Amino acid sequence: MRLRTVVIYPLLAAVYPVLALAAQNLRDGLEASDVAAPLVVVLATAAVAWTCSRAVVRDVHARALVTFLLVVGFGGFGAARTAAGSAVGAEPGMADLATLLIGLAILAAAVVWVRRRKPDLSGVTRYLNVTLGVLVVFPLASGARHLAESAAGWQPEARSTRAAGPESAALPDIYLLILDAYSSTALLAERNGYDNTPFQRELEERGFVIPRASRPNYTSTFLSLAALLNWQYVDDLVGRQPRDSDDRRPV
């Protein structure tokens, strides 16, 4: 098979968003097994799209373009729907419908174009093969670097556990609700002119305890939660981590 006939960019387009998102979340303890299921889904989607494209076009490069559009539409539907909803102020259901119709119109126009004009798309195939190949290398390299640093760095400390028994079974369940990014009543009134006291009063009547004028120990949620749930500050972790480390697992 000659190089110009090799078609891999639809598959690369399918796996790139998963790999890029995984690379961004490796420092939060993401495991390789967490990436397996999404990869299977996107690769299966690409395979189905490639099979279905044969019903409308036969040229391999045209099929690759149609498959690519289907894969991009599948992976980018959520972002496109959000953008459409924000642009026109539509309700979620209408934004879904508008996004779907626009995507189908683009796909139909591409199919009509390749069927009527029968363009030579081998150059497009080579270009997208290289471009998407380079894009995929970045998250793979980032993930490999992070895994190498993690293997040579922090290891979890051994912790003692108390066996479950009558004493622990009799303890009450405690629910701690952290409404991240939910502003306080005072801040909502000051910055948004919104009175949230009726809602807060309803919660208190149901037995909720709502602290007054509370402040977090840290400006980042993951630091605040670690300090709160471990009942200690995280300052002692600073001396044990390299200054340029972005590994959140110790926290």
Side-chain angles (χ1 to χ4, degrees):
M1 181 180 291
R2 291 177 295 176
L3 181 60
R4 66 183 182 86
T5 61
V6 173
V7 176
I8 60 172
Y9 72 88
L11 296 179
L12 297 176
V15 302
Y16 171 73
V18 177
L19 296 178
L21 187 60
Q24 293 176 6
N25 289 276
L26 279 174
R27 65 176 185 173
D28 294 328
L30 188 71
E31 301 292 340
S33 58
D34 299 323
V35 187
L39 283 177
V40 170
V41 170
V42 295
L43 288 174
T45 301
V48 171
W50 175 259
T51 303
C52 294
S53 67
R54 186 176 177 82
V56 291
V57 287
R58 294 302 181 93
D59 177 71
V60 64
H61 301 293
R63 288 180 64 191
L65 182 61
V66 172
T67 303
F68 173 73
L69 292 175
L70 286 168
V71 167
V72 170
F74 176 79
F77 183 84
R81 175 190 57 189
T82 301
S86 300
V88 301
E91 294 295 325
M94 292 301 298
D96 290 344
L97 180 60
T99 304
L100 180 61
L101 291 177
I102 292 172
L104 291 176
I106 294 174
L107 180 63
V111 170
V112 171
W113 178 65
V114 296
R115 284 175 63 91
R116 288 186 176 181
R117 297 297 183 88
K118 294 181 173 55
D120 181 9
L121 297 174
S122 58
V124 174
T125 297
R126 289 194 296 270
Y127 173 78
L128 290 178
N129 278 347
V130 174
T131 302
L132 287 164
V134 171
L135 285 178
V136 167
V137 166
F138 283 104
L140 288 177
S142 177
R145 178 181 62 84
H146 179 84
L147 292 175
E149 292 177 352
S150 298
W154 173 83
Q155 295 296 328
E157 298 177 0
R159 295 189 178 185
S160 61
T161 58
R162 184 176 63 177
E167 180 184 353
S168 60
L171 295 176
D173 294 328
I174 299 176
Y175 297 89
L176 174 64
L177 306 182
I178 304 294
L179 305 183
D180 193 27
Y182 191 94
S183 300
S184 67
T185 298
L187 199 61
L188 286 173
E190 175 187 343
R191 297 188 178 179
N192 302 92
Y194 179 76
D195 182 13
N196 199 39
T197 53
F199 172 65
Q200 183 171 297
R201 193 179 304 116
E202 290 284 347
L203 290 178
E204 291 173 332
E205 291 177 357
R206 286 166 168 78
F208 286 87
V209 176
I210 303 176
R212 307 289 179 175
S214 60
R215 295 178 181 273
N217 295 318
Y218 303 96
T219 56
S220 296
T221 302
F222 79 102
L223 293 174
S224 296
L225 284 178
L228 174 63
L229 297 177
N230 289 282
W231 211 248
Q232 63 182 5
Y233 294 110
V234 298
D235 301 50
D236 62 320
L237 296 177
V238 175
R240 291 189 275 162
Q241 289 292 105
R243 292 181 61 87
D244 60 347
S245 174
D246 62 354
D247 190 357
R248 295 187 178 186
R249 292 179 301 165
V251 178

